[in-house]
Structures are given as structure tokens and as C-alpha cells.
Amino acid sequence: MNTVRQLDRVVIRFAGDSGDGMQLTGDRFTAETAKLGNDLSTLPNYPAEIRAPAGTLPGVSSFQIHFADSDILTPGDEPEVLVAMNPAALKANLRDLKRGGVVIVNTDEFTKRNLTKVGYEASPLEDGSLDDYQLIEVKLTSLTIAALEDHDIGKKDAARSKNMFALGLLSWMYSRTTAVTEDFLKKKFASKPDIAAANIAALKAGWNYGETAESFAVRFEIPPATLPAGTYRNITGNQALAWGVIAAGVASELPVFLGAYPITPASDILHELSKHKRFGVTTVQAEDEIAAAGAALGASWGGALGVTTSSGPGIALKSETISLAVSLELPLVVIDVQRAGPSTGMPTKTEQADLLMAMFGRHGEAPIAVVAPQSPSDCFDAMLEATRMALHYRTPVMLLSDGYIANGAEPWRLPDMGDLPDLSVAFATEPNGTDAKGEPVFLPFQRDPETLARPWAVPGTPGLQHRIGGIEKADGTGDISYDPANHDHMVRTRAAKIAGIPVPDLEVEDAGDASVLVLGWGSTWGPIGAAVRGLSDKGVPVARAHLRYLNPMPANLGEVLARYDKVVVPEMNLGQLSLLLRGAFPGVDVVGYNKVRGLPFTSNELQDALEEVIKNG
């Protein structure tokens, strides 16, 4: 009889070769966990190489999930359970495992050849180097092959199902169901029923192994979290952005056009949107980044919601088209899923280093609005907000996600369609001025006095013919103009339009006695929140605020910053927001906490850093 022990939370990491299916394994475990109602957060970690040599350190792929019976903010600092499919996975991940944690290893892969590949002179299973952990040795590969002997597949295909065996075992250990995964496998391999049956059999064999093996005398339960009532589903940041695009099209009653070129880690937005033509979404995989941006801007010119997606290298290529959109004063939503740079950098690793490019990375004075979601589920709302700004103010808007948000997952409560914001726009339908003779004419740059936005006229509308192009235009008429005074006026007017976009005031979490404010943006929201929560539990006062709107910034930002002796700004860059704050508010003591490791901050390191700042005054 197995003992069942209840836990409030656990952090598990699956790690193996890039061909071992660790991302699929983690994704399926996440789906089962979401179904059971736990709050969760995930951290997939991919190798940059398309196919690194098997069994090597560069080829290690991992997936971490943190799930609990209460709300959580991060995928966890230290895994408490590590499933290592080979020596490379063990070596690459052991340093992160919590002391006393559980290590489940696939002993079939701990051959002399595989140990040598990663620099082990002796097997860590035998030399005492794992004495500080709970080591559980399982012959995952051979057990899987034995379990599939009666299936009509080869030995090699049977061995590939070892990730399902591992998934079944961990599902038993943590009282997860397997029904969702079984349905998934039937659909995924619908054209290959033998493969589907083999994977399901391996999944069940792993479950049964946990039930019967003496090594697994204890299983664990994590009760569901208490979350606001509603219908939830598990969602990644890229999925949320894609669905936000669809919702924006519905809320604006505009056709949606996505121009994109595949690039890690933004490609999944294109993949997801390509499935939803029934919602009036057109997707084009262009021949390059420049063409993708140009097509999206052309769609906006034609009266659609134009969207283009990329990562840092692609955004650099799109910069000229974004400048053109600034000059044309047309809506364009630009999604930048940031990754580690410069140049190709580390394509599968995360960073927040595109902020200054978003703010200033165009020739001439070409300001645009910039927003940043704080978590995977928040991407949906951030996309709607970016669309509002783009449509109502006739401007490009850049949305700054990153690899951590894009690939991470968490529960998302489906919104009521009636709660979607009104994003409808009124196209110009008739002349709005008169010429010198008193005849009605269309003035394409006659502005709304409140928003400074120009009229949006769909090409072909009778009587509204007008010229567009990149050369400076005369205010009102839109005629080509080289007049110095007009250029100065147009540059200042475009800047004033962006600066005048109304955004909510910055909200601050402060019990009232803090002298230090932690200010973040984007994906640092979770680690900062967990760190501040940890300090609060210790009785250490610290205030917290998070910026969604980076251009324009909230009107009360200066007043908020002035309340505190120090403002700590953690960023996954070398201090870009800190630089902007010092320039805009020179009297504020801004302390940057910066790392560019391709990994998100942990809450523990932020907590230690904040405690040090508070202690030193």
C-alpha cells in the first residue's frame, strides 16, 4: 500500500537530449496539471542548435513546471525533482537542483561512451557525487521497450516512447491523470495508430511502474488552487498574443492581416494565427522581414488591422517600414518577442534588451507607442491595448514580449466576449475641407483635435483620393513639403500625438513604510513579485510597481519615484529602463540590478539583492 503525502507546491524539471521529447513531456504534464485546477508556471529551455550531437551538453533540452494549491508567480527557483534522461541532462541541470531533492535517472543511458561525452571520468551514480540527493535509478529505455514488445513497432520506435513512460511515472507520483494526454496522442498520431497505441501503452506502463516498484513507496497530492470563478485553460504567451490579435479583430470589426517571417521565438504566433481564417485572419509568410512589415503596413493602408511579428534581428530589418508607418500615420502593431543578442546571439534564450531599440531604433524623429505584457496570460490584454493605441491614434505600436513569456505557460481565465473593449474605428467617408474655390476636398492630415490622429480613408472611397509616401507632407493637405517650418511642426505634432496617448496611472503596492521601490517592466513581474512577497513575509518593507506602458509612461511616474529614497530596477539587460528613468527624472536615485544570462531572474537572487540595498540604505 502506497503512502499518500499532501504538498502545497512542487517544482519539477524534465531534462534530456533534444530528441527525447522533453518539451512534449512537460507540455502534457502541464495540461494534466491545469485540468486538475492547480495554479502553475512553466519554463521551457531549448537548445539553440537545431540538432546538436546526441548526448552532448549543447543538445540538452529541459522543461520546468511549478504548480501549487495557491497563486504562484514564477516557474520556481530550484527544481525539487529532476528527471534526467542521460548523463548530459544530469550534468547540465544538477547544479540547479535543491539539496535533498529527488533525481530520477535513466540508467540505460549511463554508458561509458555517454559519460565520456560530457566529461564524467566516473559514473556519478557510483562515485558518491549524488549523496546529497535522493537518487532513484530507473531503466527507462529497457522498461519501455519491454512494455511495447507486443506492439507492431520496431525497437527504435519503442525506445522513443521512453518520454511517455517517464511522464506516466511522474503522473503517478504526483497524482496527475493521463486522460488528456491519451486523447492528445490519439489525435496527434491519428494517421499512425500503431504509434499512438505504443505511446499510450508506454504512458500506462510508467504509471503502473510507479504503482508497483518499491522505489516509489510515496506518492504526492497537490490540491487545486482557489482561483476566481470562471473557465480556464492553459496558455502560453505566444498563444495569448495570437488570440489577442483575433480578439482585436473582432472588437474592431476589422479584417486582420499578419505579415511575418519565421524567427525564434516568435514563429508560434504565425503558426497559431494561420489556423484561424474563419475569424477573418489572413496570414502571409513573407520572403523576408522587410516584406512582412511592408505587407502589414499595406494592409493597414487598405483598411485592415495590420500586424507584423518578429524578434530582435527582424525588428532591426523592419525599422525602415516602421518609420514609414510613423510618417504615413497609419496603425501598425509590431510584436517583438525579444531574445538574447546581439546579432543572432542565443536564439532560444530570453532577454529584455530591445527596449532602447523600441524607443529610438528608427532614423529621424520617429516616436512610437511601446507596451510590455508581464506574463503569458497578460499577453492577451496587452495585445488589445496595443491595438487600441494603434487604431485610435494612427500610429505604430510595439509590443515587447520575450522568450520567457512567449514559451512559458500559466492558467488563463477566458474572458466574456461582452467584456472586450470597443476598438471600433470610423473611416473617413466624405470630404472634410474646402479648397481655395470653396469646393469640397479631402484633407488627409487634418487632425482630430483631441487625439491628433489623422483621418483613415480606405483606398477607392469616392472623393477621398490622396497621396501617401515617405517624403514629408504638408499639414492638412498631405502635399509634398520641404518647408522648414512645416517639417518642424509635423515632427513636433507626431511626437505630441504619442506623448498625449492616455494611459492609466502607475499603481504601487506599498504598506506605507517602505523607503525602497522595486520598479520592473515586462517579464520581471513574476520574479519581482515573488521576491517582494518573500521580503514581506520576513517583515522587510519594500514597495513594488510595474510598468506596462513604456511610451508614453504614466503621468504620475515622476511623483511615484520621488516618494522613495531608492528605486531598484531589475532588468535582463545592462540598464536600459534605468537609463530612461535617469534621463527623465534626474533627481531620482535609480539602482539597476542587471543580468544578461539568457535566463530569467530567480526570486531568491532578487530577494537577496533587494535586502542588500535596503540594509545599506
Side-chain angles (χ1 to χ4, degrees):
M1 186 72 176
N2 298 113
T3 301
V4 178
R5 186 180 302 165
Q6 195 165 95
L7 302 175
D8 61 355
R9 64 186 61 234
V10 69
V11 181
I12 299 172
R13 183 180 297 179
F14 299 92
D17 192 70
S18 57
D20 284 339
M22 293 296 94
Q23 303 305 321
L24 176 62
T25 304
D27 179 71
R28 300 327 307 161
F29 192 90
T30 300
E32 300 287 359
T33 297
K35 181 183 177 183
L36 290 176
N38 295 117
D39 196 15
L40 63 90
S41 180
T42 70
L43 178 61
N45 195 351
Y46 306 89
E49 288 76 8
I50 293 175
R51 192 67 176 93
T56 63
L57 292 172
V60 173
S61 175
S62 68
F63 188 104
Q64 183 164 305
I65 175 172
H66 179 194
F67 58 103
D69 65 0
S70 58
D71 70 305
I72 55 176
L73 301 174
T74 75
D77 288 356
E78 300 173 310
E80 295 150 302
V81 180
L82 171 63
V83 180
M85 303 296 281
N86 60 21
L90 179 66
K91 188 164 191 176
N93 292 279
L94 185 63
R95 63 179 176 270
D96 297 331
L97 186 64
K98 186 176 182 179
R99 290 289 172 180
V102 176
V103 188
I104 301 173
V105 297
N106 177 17
T107 56
D108 288 327
E109 294 296 319
F110 279 70
T111 63
K112 185 176 181 180
R113 182 169 181 268
N114 286 345
L115 291 167
T116 303
K117 276 185 184 179
V118 294
Y120 279 125
E121 295 181 1
S123 173
L125 308 183
E126 301 170 354
D127 66 2
S129 59
L130 299 179
D131 288 349
D132 290 339
Y133 307 96
Q134 302 175 53
L135 175 62
I136 300 177
E137 301 182 31
V138 183
K139 295 182 177 181
L140 285 174
T141 305
S142 54
L143 284 169
T144 303
I145 292 172
L148 303 183
E149 283 180 346
D150 296 335
H151 289 260
D152 189 21
I153 61 173
K155 189 174 180 179
K156 188 175 181 180
D157 284 335
R160 287 177 179 155
S161 300
K162 62 182 180 290
N163 64 323
M164 289 296 106
F165 189 102
L167 175 60
L169 173 57
L170 269 292
S171 297
W172 177 86
M173 285 181 65
Y174 290 94
S175 305
R176 309 291 94 181
T177 61
T178 60
V180 172
T181 298
E182 290 177 37
D183 290 341
F184 168 83
L185 291 170
K186 289 173 184 177
K187 292 176 183 177
K188 179 178 177 64
F189 298 109
S191 62
K192 299 177 180 179
D194 291 343
I195 299 296
N199 277 278
I200 292 171
L203 181 70
K204 292 179 176 179
W207 174 282
N208 293 333
Y209 182 80
E211 186 78 30
T212 57
E214 293 182 3
S215 304
F216 300 94
V218 179
R219 66 186 307 198
F220 305 94
E221 288 182 351
I222 293 87
T226 302
L227 300 172
T231 301
Y232 286 80
R233 65 149 290 151
N234 186 49
I235 199 167
T236 68
N238 276 347
Q239 285 177 320
L241 283 176
W243 292 6
V245 170
I246 296 168
V250 172
S252 64
E253 299 182 343
L254 295 176
V256 173
F257 180 94
L258 174 72
Y261 181 78
I263 184 171
T264 301
S267 299
D268 284 341
I269 304 171
L270 169 61
H271 299 160
E272 181 65 26
L273 282 174
S274 68
K275 304 173 185 176
H276 299 293
K277 295 179 182 178
R278 67 188 184 279
F279 290 108
V281 177
T282 300
T283 55
V284 171
Q285 180 176 318
E287 63 267 31
D288 56 40
E289 297 280 8
I290 299 171
L297 181 55
S300 289
W301 161 239
L305 171 57
V307 183
T308 188
T309 58
S310 192
S311 188
I315 299 297
L317 291 168
K318 297 179 191 290
S319 64
E320 185 174 7
T321 302
I322 298 171
S323 289
L324 176 59
V326 171
S327 177
L328 298 181
E329 300 190 50
L330 284 171
L332 178 67
V333 179
V334 182
I335 298 174
D336 178 3
V337 186
Q338 300 166 95
R339 70 188 203 186
S343 189
T344 308
M346 298 192 296
T348 60
K349 309 304 178 183
T350 195
E351 208 161 85
Q352 287 183 298
D354 292 353
L355 175 56
L356 294 183
M357 179 168 70
M359 293 290 290
F360 308 115
R362 291 161 297 283
H363 56 286
E365 294 286 347
I368 64 174
V370 181
V371 299
Q374 64 189 26
S375 68
S377 62
D378 186 50
C379 286
F380 182 85
D381 293 327
M383 181 62 208
L384 290 172
E385 184 63 359
T387 303
R388 177 192 72 84
M389 299 167 86
L391 293 178
H392 291 175
Y393 293 87
R394 313 287 196 266
T395 178
V397 178
M398 191 171 294
L399 185 149
L400 290 176
S401 178
D402 62 41
Y404 175 33
I405 291 177
N407 296 318
E410 64 182 1
W412 173 60
R413 185 171 63 169
L414 273 65
D416 188 317
M417 290 299 292
D419 293 335
L420 292 181
D422 180 9
L423 301 180
S424 59
V425 294
F427 290 107
T429 58
E430 58 188 22
N432 58 355
T434 56
D435 62 14
K437 298 179 180 179
E439 296 293 327
V441 294
F442 178 57
L443 301 175
F445 282 86
Q446 178 174 288
R447 301 178 183 280
D448 181 305
E450 181 179 345
T451 65
L452 298 182
R454 76 174 186 88
W456 192 2
V458 176
T461 304
L464 303 190
Q465 297 91 337
H466 62 285
R467 175 188 289 114
I468 65 166
I471 296 177
E472 186 62 279
K473 300 151 195 70
D475 194 26
T477 66
D479 294 337
I480 290 174
S481 174
Y482 292 99
D483 179 71
N486 176 77
H487 178 58
D488 184 270
H489 171 72
M490 293 293 276
V491 167
R492 294 180 186 275
T493 300
R494 289 188 289 258
K497 180 173 67 171
I498 301 301
I501 297 175
V503 302
D505 278 349
L506 182 65
E507 296 182 358
V508 183
E509 297 178 17
D510 186 353
D513 53 354
S515 61
V516 173
L517 171 71
V518 192
L519 181 67
W521 68 276
S523 66
T524 58
W525 176 79
I528 290 173
V532 170
R533 183 180 291 177
L535 289 172
S536 177
D537 291 343
K538 294 168 64 174
V540 179
V542 61
R544 173 196 181 196
H546 209 76
L547 285 170
R548 164 176 280 182
Y549 302 92
L550 295 159
N551 197 36
M553 291 184 177
N556 70 329
L557 178 58
E559 180 269 323
V560 167
L561 299 181
R563 292 184 213 158
Y564 298 92
D565 296 338
K566 288 186 184 296
V567 177
V568 182
V569 181
E571 296 182 84
M572 293 186 290
N573 58 45
L574 296 183
Q576 297 188 17
L577 178 58
S578 295
L579 179 67
L580 295 175
L581 294 176
R582 291 186 189 110
F585 309 103
V588 175
D589 187 359
V590 178
V591 180
Y593 183 76
N594 309 101
K595 283 191 175 182
V596 282
R597 300 175 60 239
L599 295 169
F601 291 117
T602 67
S603 60
N604 284 340
E605 69 173 305
L606 283 183
Q607 185 171 319
D608 291 344
L610 293 173
E611 205 160 8
E612 188 70 20
V613 170
I614 295 169
K615 183 176 70 175
N616 294 333

